[in-house]
Amino acid sequence: MIVLASQSASRRAMLEAAGIPFRAQPANVDERRIETGLGEAPAEVIALELARAKALAVFAPGEIVLGSDSLVSCGGRRFDKPASRDQAAEHLHFFSGKVMELHSAAALVRDGEVLWAEPALARLHVAALSDHFIESYLEAEWPEVSGCVGVFRIEGRGVQLFDRIEGDYFTILGMPLLMVQAALRRMGVLSQ
């Protein structure tokens, strides 16, 4: 069994569906402070550092702790989860017709030592979104997408935002699960 350093419903659902035994314990990490400390570092570096920080923040002697985080960048800007519905609309207007890069990272830690950590990237080509579409989309999806960094749930109506996607589904959901599974197999936690 591993410890998931998160209460994220999508990350829990991924592990459950994959049949990976785990228990969830939220990590108490000041993500904005970590981001600020990293300054203008690339988004993949920030996602990786946040994943590591979350895994290291959970005290679980002898157990493997999984931390994960995701960031969105678009047009040279990093985006956090929207603070309000108005900000969500602003984000969607900015994303319209552009390529959104979703940086997802995971880290595995045991007894304060990082055993493995890797970033992953998905590129999401956002369709040209009209004001009417954005308003009706948020009417249907708010507040559920308030906790989503790209203002979408790919497993729901969020798929309508995109013309094309490059990258794996799990990375888009918020954790590079295939990479995590491979690392757990190499560690002997999962059988092959």
Side-chain angles (χ1 to χ4, degrees):
M1 178 175 291
I2 65 170
V3 179
L4 174 64
S6 175
Q7 287 297 340
S8 163
S10 66
R11 291 182 183 119
R12 287 192 325 260
M14 278 189 265
L15 292 175
E16 287 169 1
I20 299 173
F22 74 98
R23 67 179 174 82
Q25 182 177 330
N28 187 14
V29 172
D30 184 347
E31 295 181 40
R32 300 299 77 86
R33 184 186 58 75
I34 293 168
E35 281 187 40
T36 301
L38 291 169
E40 296 300 316
E44 65 270 12
V45 170
I46 294 170
L48 192 55
E49 288 306 312
L50 289 169
R52 285 182 179 132
K54 289 177 180 180
L56 289 165
V58 171
F59 183 71
E63 295 182 282
I64 292 179
V65 180
L66 168 62
S68 188
D69 199 75
S70 295
L71 291 174
V72 163
S73 62
C74 184
R77 290 177 48 192
R78 276 195 325 258
F79 288 83
D80 291 319
K81 297 170 186 168
S84 66
R85 184 173 164 163
D86 287 342
Q87 188 177 54
E90 290 170 16
H91 288 187
L92 292 170
H93 281 288
F94 186 86
F95 299 152
S96 179
K98 296 182 178 84
V99 176
M100 174 193 300
E101 291 188 335
L102 195 150
H103 304 270
S104 185
L108 295 168
V109 168
R110 182 176 24 220
D111 297 326
E113 179 187 351
V114 177
L115 304 173
W116 171 88
E118 289 290 331
L121 172 66
R123 295 173 49 83
L124 299 97
H125 298 255
V126 182
L129 308 174
S130 69
D131 292 343
H132 173 74
F133 174 85
I134 290 171
E135 182 55 35
S136 63
Y137 171 77
L138 289 174
E139 183 67 32
E141 290 291 288
W142 193 263
E144 287 81 4
V145 294
S146 65
C148 302
V149 72
V151 197
F152 72 92
R153 295 178 301 154
I154 197 70
E155 67 277 24
R157 290 182 193 221
V159 72
Q160 293 182 22
L161 299 176
F162 306 107
D163 285 332
R164 187 165 54 107
I165 294 173
E166 302 167 49
D168 77 69
Y169 183 70
F170 302 109
T171 295
I172 296 164
L173 285 176
M175 182 172 61
L177 181 62
L178 299 176
M179 294 167 68
V180 169
Q181 287 181 145
L184 290 171
R185 284 186 192 112
R186 284 191 302 276
M187 293 174 193
V189 175
L190 292 180
S191 56
Q192 216 159 345

